[in-house]
Amino acid sequence: MTESQGERVTRTHCPYCSLQCGMTLQRKGRTALEVLPWAEFPVNEGGLCRKGWTAGDLRGHRERLTTPLVRDRATGELRAAGWDEALDLIASRIQQLQTSYGADSVAVFGGGGLTNEKAYQLGKFARVALRTSQIDYNGRWCMSSAASAGNQAFGIDRGLPFPLADLEHADVVVLVGSNMAETMPPAARHLDRLRERGGKVVVIDPRKTATADRADLFLQPVPGTDLALAQGVLHLLDAAGAVDEEYVAARTTGWDEVRRSVASWWPERVERVTSVVTSELRELAALLANNRKVMILTARGAEQHSQGTATVLGWINVALALGLPGREHAGYGCLTGQGNGQGGREHGQKADQLPGYRMIDDPVAREHVARVWGVPPESLPGKGKSAYELLDSLGSTESGGGGGARALLVFGSNIVISAPRATHVTQRLESLDLLVVCDIVMSETAALADVVLPVTQWAEESGTMTNLEGRVILRQQAAEPPKGVRSDLDVIAGLAERLASPVPFGTDVEEIFAELGRASAGGKADYSGITYDRIRDEHGVFWPCPAVTDGPAHPGTPRMFADAFATPDGRARFLVVEHAGPAEPTDDAFPLHLTTGRVLAQYQSGAQTRRVRALPDDGPFVEIHPMLALRIGARDGDAVVVRTRRGEMKAPAKVVTTIRPDTVFVPFHWVGANRLTNDAFDPSSRMPEFKVCAAEVTA
């Protein structure tokens, strides 16, 4: 934090996506914050998208929550309350429910936008103060399939095992299900620089997006068939003798089984399944075979499927066959979505994990973390339900629930918008005995709550985040919060005290981060050698970064896998996967594929961006091909109805030639899209199938 011309200037980071772009905030007057560049930060070099440039506009917004609200269940009305009254009420109801129904009658739902300190404290709070196993977070719906695949193949999950800037030094970058130009625009400059050097960009997507406009090769498969495409590519690479046999023999296991499994995926079969013509498939295989520095990057389009983990493993198999992971300016990576999607799961928000990416059913991990927390290992609960399973089970069996938790505490998530099969999930939320939501505005989920707690936004607090590269960065407080607003950390500490937690919960972020470091020490995601001072001095520090007692500090690990993988034998794993297609295929009643995604001006559930006037908000729309529009008798701008087996929504048609004729697209930033999506989920990652289901569209 510095002073400039009498005004306070703070170097910090954007509140939105996983790039965590560096920015400078200049405080003007009592509430205004002007966003200025921070050219030295390497991730974005001073560039921001329109969301980043307008990030300060929520300061002083008329819809900002500044006092706790408590619902009178007799009248259904929310009324203002003091903090002590609100926290006392929450603690009292929690104690009553746990006395009657057990510790797991109370659940916690976190968010991928919470800082590492909040994520860590929330996981600790659930297991120590609440003693519940029922905690998960919306990051389960972000990159959990890539995380599952990375753990299986490489022994570790880090979105990008190399810095983002390495992209521009590759010969070929393959983007599978990523619309980088709209979802993280500052990153797209690397694609432009790559092409200026003579490199090639390949985009695989059912829609011809702004990212596909940058592509040298664009493949437009049927939604839900990316795995079949990967199998076909690997078949052609093997047939052409392009497999790096020396690398495969020295650094991997399982290749012979995978080679046999893809032998039947000849190009004509791939074309029948994916509709990608054989000439395009062969062109892609030739690009991969004839270039040494190739990067394969997956994103939500490939991962948010009931076969999401298998799909990612299919593309990892391609990368391993070419000998890419560990090679300079090459490899496989996942483009994380949420701001702290990476760090948010590393330190305890997921149902099966403890800090440092330790598994909760590992006795050694439990012993280590319990020692740091100062509690007996046997007091820690076991593995809980994943995000959708947790929500699906909410409420008593009498209310139609699954006999799961009867109270839910929500931090940093707008479930009503973001959950699949959202109408059903909303009913489960309404059936609860207690719903508590912490938010900065009255989100759609907060509007259902029994208690709403007003919390600080990103510029009003300090804390660390971990971006898509595994770079731990520091958001620094730039302004004081409005009177009456408290941090999520204050909420956690206040509830822990009222619940007679066996250990205290502090609120000093630097002390919490130091404890996080001790809890993560020796784990896969080891932060023990990272400090706030190092982050400031080095523009972020990459994990793993163990503490060093003698000699210079560990530099952090920007590039992984050069010498070994994080498996017991140091070798990566080829894994056999089989294409099964979407959980819900099309039929006569629902003949179209519905897919969902983001648009440039909005972010996630839109709770923040829809309230920023400078960002265009035309509401939801249904993107359809002219052939489909002609068939149903709809013109551009006409209202159309999209139906699935779970619900329907009405929105204006956007008639475009850039989508497949058998596919419709709906953005998920508004109420509606996720009323349609399928809650079938991946058996490994527990990722719901957001990206494809069977639909019908009528005028």
Side-chain angles (χ1 to χ4, degrees), residues 90-108 125-134 381 404-409 433-434 495-496 498-501:
I90 296 167
S92 175
R93 289 194 182 176
I94 287 173
Q95 290 168 332
Q96 291 168 5
L97 289 169
Q98 290 189 321
T99 298
S100 299
Y101 304 105
D104 281 356
S105 63
V106 178
V108 176
F125 171 74
R127 277 116 187 178
V128 174
L130 289 175
R131 311 178 312 285
T132 182
S133 66
Q134 301 305 302
R406 303 172 76 111
L408 182 67
L409 311 183
D433 295 310
L434 175 65
L495 288 175
R498 287 166 171 80
L499 293 169
S501 168

Side-chain angles (χ1 to χ4, degrees), residues 231-245 255 259 262-263 265-267 281-291 321-322:
Q231 304 285 69
V233 169
L234 188 52
H235 171 100
L236 287 174
L237 292 173
D238 188 32
V243 174
D244 187 334
E245 300 285 358
W255 166 236
R259 171 180 266 163
V262 300
W265 281 100
W266 54 89
L281 186 70
R282 292 181 185 278
E283 185 178 355
L284 173 57
L287 268 177
L288 302 185
N290 295 325
N291 288 279
L322 292 168

Side-chain angles (χ1 to χ4, degrees), residues 368-382:
H368 173 86
V369 174
R371 185 168 60 251
V372 173
W373 287 350
V375 298
E378 60 273 15
S379 71
L380 300 179

Side-chain angles (χ1 to χ4, degrees), residues 326-388:
R327 183 182 296 171
E328 187 177 18
H329 302 144
Y332 164 79
C334 162
L335 295 168
T336 311
Q338 294 191 81
N340 203 26
Q342 182 76 52
R345 69 181 177 280
E346 291 168 358
H347 300 298
Q349 283 194 98
K350 283 181 77 175
D352 55 353
Q353 289 177 198
L354 289 170
Y357 221 119
R358 290 179 160 90
M359 303 314 293
I360 200 165
D361 54 4
D362 176 0
V364 175
R366 293 169 66 85
E367 170 67 32
H368 173 86
V369 174
R371 185 168 60 251
V372 173
W373 287 350
V375 298
E378 60 273 15
S379 71
L380 300 179
K383 180 179 175 181
K385 299 182 179 74
S386 71
Y388 182 77

Side-chain angles (χ1 to χ4, degrees), residues 30 37 102-103 110 125 133 147 158 160 166 207 214 240 285 420 459 564 573 600 607 617 625 681:
R30 292 178 58 192
F125 171 74
S133 66
R158 197 174 90 180
L160 291 184
D166 280 8
R207 303 167 62 228
R214 285 173 157 88
R573 308 285 191 250
L600 177 62
D617 179 6
H625 191 274
F681 50 78

Side-chain angles (χ1 to χ4, degrees), residues 236 266-271 276-283:
L236 287 174
W266 54 89
E268 293 76 15
R269 180 186 177 193
V270 175
E271 181 175 344
V276 174
V277 298
T278 58
S279 60
E280 292 177 342
L281 186 70
R282 292 181 185 278
E283 185 178 355

Side-chain angles (χ1 to χ4, degrees), residues 548-572:
V548 176
T549 54
D550 298 312
H554 192 285
T557 312
R559 295 175 181 86
M560 307 178 81
F561 312 143
D563 301 314
F565 295 94
T567 55
D569 60 4
R571 291 170 173 257

